[in-house]
Amino acid sequence: MKLQRKNGLRATALGALAVSGALVLTACGSDNNSEGSTTGSGTKSSAASSAVCKDAKGQLLASGSSAQKNAMDLWVKNYMATCSGVEVNYKSSSSGEGIVAFNQGTVGFAGSDSALKPEEVADSKKSCTGGGQGINLPMVGGPIAIGYHLEGVDSLVLDAPTLAKIFDSKIKTWNDPAIKALNPSAKLPNKPIQAFHRSEDSGTTQNLGKYLGATASSDWKYEAEKKWPAPGGQAASGSAGVATQVKQVDGAIGYFELSYATSQKISTVKIDTGASAPVEATSENASKAIAAAKIKGTGKDLALDLDYTTKADGAYPIVLVTYEIACDKGNKPATLATMKSFLTYTSSEDGQKLLSEAGYAPIPAEINAKVRETVASLS
């Protein structure tokens, strides 16, 4: 199938770039970027325009969301190949750790899969000088894939109530009647379900919780928090850690950003939303859901309100938007120009185009135009 082949090619490109921890690349310093860089699939990806390099210099530190790591890898690679003498170091950890680092003033910006809470905004005023505060800049969209490993089962459909019961340890075996009802033709084994979740505070966890709370409130009684709330299950560090466990353990299920599934060739669950057909986790299907998002932030803050309950045909409902957290004013003077330069690239048409190639979903054009305007105004 063409889609499978395409996903496989994407996985090759992402797998070649994947590294653990911080990514530090040596700038190539090339002056000829008219053709862009070549991904592992053999297609041309858009390099940063040399115009964004103006005033950028030195090292820029950032940390946070592991869900956007594969996108950040591509962005950093292309940006540093164009902007000679600039080093961008993004440490992939978790949304919670990124926000803590930002509010402590140790990084220029943070990546987070959920918008800042009021108390986190209040804390940010300590590091954003001159009356500034942290704001949310939506930069990466995409589906939260529900990955599974079940020998002999290459297609699986689940709905929100069943998914909630699995992650709440209420459904314990793969041949449970609820799963059978959704998969009447599948040969489901009498095998224990091993559910994996994030061990650290995670915006991906919070977004999954928002989906389950909105669509399966009778079966998921927990608040949508970054810390995993339900008893049972097994914990792993980062999206990469959860994906690795799911790939290795027969009978496993877990959640992570789609690029981790494509890069490791992990099967993903189709979600029965009540639409005419179960919906697969793809960039295109996530875009259909994210396109309905509304800006709920005020002033320069661009936090989004997502509709997790959509039943539109082809709209994948378990989505996240990853934000870059920066100060509206009072950013670090030493890295302000470089941060604005880098975020100008990531929010550019070329930068956003890379997201689809990597299994993510670009930010809707109308919202992204406001992101670019806000990035230009950071001080």
Side-chain angles (χ1 to χ4, degrees), residues 37-372:
S37 60
T38 303
T39 67
S41 64
T43 60
K44 296 292 183 180
S45 62
S46 301
S49 166
S50 58
V52 306
C53 303
K54 183 181 179 182
D55 299 326
K57 60 182 179 180
Q59 184 184 62
L60 173 63
L61 301 179
S63 68
S65 164
S66 64
Q68 68 169 328
K69 176 188 180 299
N70 290 327
M72 194 62 72
D73 285 0
L74 289 169
W75 280 335
V76 169
K77 177 179 182 289
N78 282 357
Y79 176 80
M80 290 176 57
T82 301
C83 299
S84 179
V86 179
E87 184 181 279
V88 179
N89 181 331
Y90 181 83
K91 180 182 178 182
S92 171
S93 51
S94 69
S95 299
E97 292 176 62
I99 290 173
V100 168
F102 175 76
N103 284 345
Q104 290 178 340
T106 59
V107 295
F109 71 90
S112 175
D113 305 331
S114 56
L116 292 169
K117 294 180 178 180
E119 60 268 27
E120 291 170 336
V121 173
D123 286 344
S124 72
K125 294 178 181 180
K126 301 172 185 176
S127 58
C128 298
T129 59
Q133 65 181 39
I135 58 172
N136 304 283
L137 301 172
M139 203 66 73
V140 183
I144 300 173
I146 306 300
Y148 72 97
H149 178 179
L150 192 58
E151 296 295 336
V153 179
D154 57 9
S155 180
L156 186 68
V157 175
L158 296 174
D159 59 13
T162 305
L163 200 58
K165 292 172 187 175
I166 287 173
F167 280 118
D168 199 21
S169 302
K170 297 295 190 341
I171 291 179
K172 300 179 182 295
T173 59
W174 281 108
N175 65 344
D176 187 275
I179 302 178
K180 280 185 174 182
L182 292 164
N183 301 272
S185 61
K187 295 181 179 179
L188 297 167
N190 182 18
K191 183 176 292 182
I193 294 174
Q194 300 195 53
F196 286 89
H197 58 263
R198 293 282 291 274
S199 59
E200 69 290 327
D201 286 3
S202 162
T204 310
T205 295
Q206 188 172 40
N207 279 275
L208 176 63
K210 288 179 180 179
Y211 165 73
L212 294 175
T215 56
S217 57
S218 296
D219 300 294
W220 190 258
K221 302 294 188 180
Y222 308 102
E223 294 294 326
E225 299 291 348
K226 292 176 183 175
K227 184 177 181 62
W228 181 255
Q234 301 177 61
S237 178
S239 292
V242 175
T244 297
Q245 291 299 316
V246 171
K247 183 176 178 63
Q248 292 177 348
V249 178
D250 186 19
I253 189 170
Y255 59 94
F256 32 78
E257 204 279 329
L258 179 62
S259 64
Y260 290 92
T262 55
S263 65
Q264 297 196 45
K265 299 181 180 179
I266 297 171
S267 298
T268 60
V269 170
K270 297 181 180 69
I271 302 298
D272 184 346
T273 64
S276 62
V279 186
E280 185 178 359
T282 68
S283 299
E284 295 78 9
N285 292 344
S287 291
K288 293 177 182 178
I290 295 173
K294 305 296 183 183
I295 295 175
K296 64 179 180 180
T298 58
K300 293 184 179 181
D301 184 78
L302 300 177
L304 300 180
D305 187 14
L306 298 170
D307 180 11
Y308 298 98
T309 64
T310 179
K311 295 182 180 180
D313 283 350
Y316 184 81
I318 317 177
V319 294
L320 61 76
V321 168
T322 291
Y323 301 92
E324 311 309 343
I325 308 297
C327 301
D328 56 357
K329 60 181 180 179
N331 289 284
K332 294 176 175 298
T335 57
L336 174 61
T338 303
M339 180 185 70
K340 289 179 67 172
S341 169
F342 181 67
L343 296 183
T344 295
Y345 167 57
T346 63
S347 61
S348 70
E349 184 177 342
D350 285 344
Q352 289 290 299
K353 181 181 177 182
L354 281 178
L355 295 179
S356 293
E357 298 175 11
Y360 293 90
I363 299 300
E366 182 179 350
I367 296 172
N368 193 50
K370 296 181 179 179
V371 173
R372 290 196 294 268

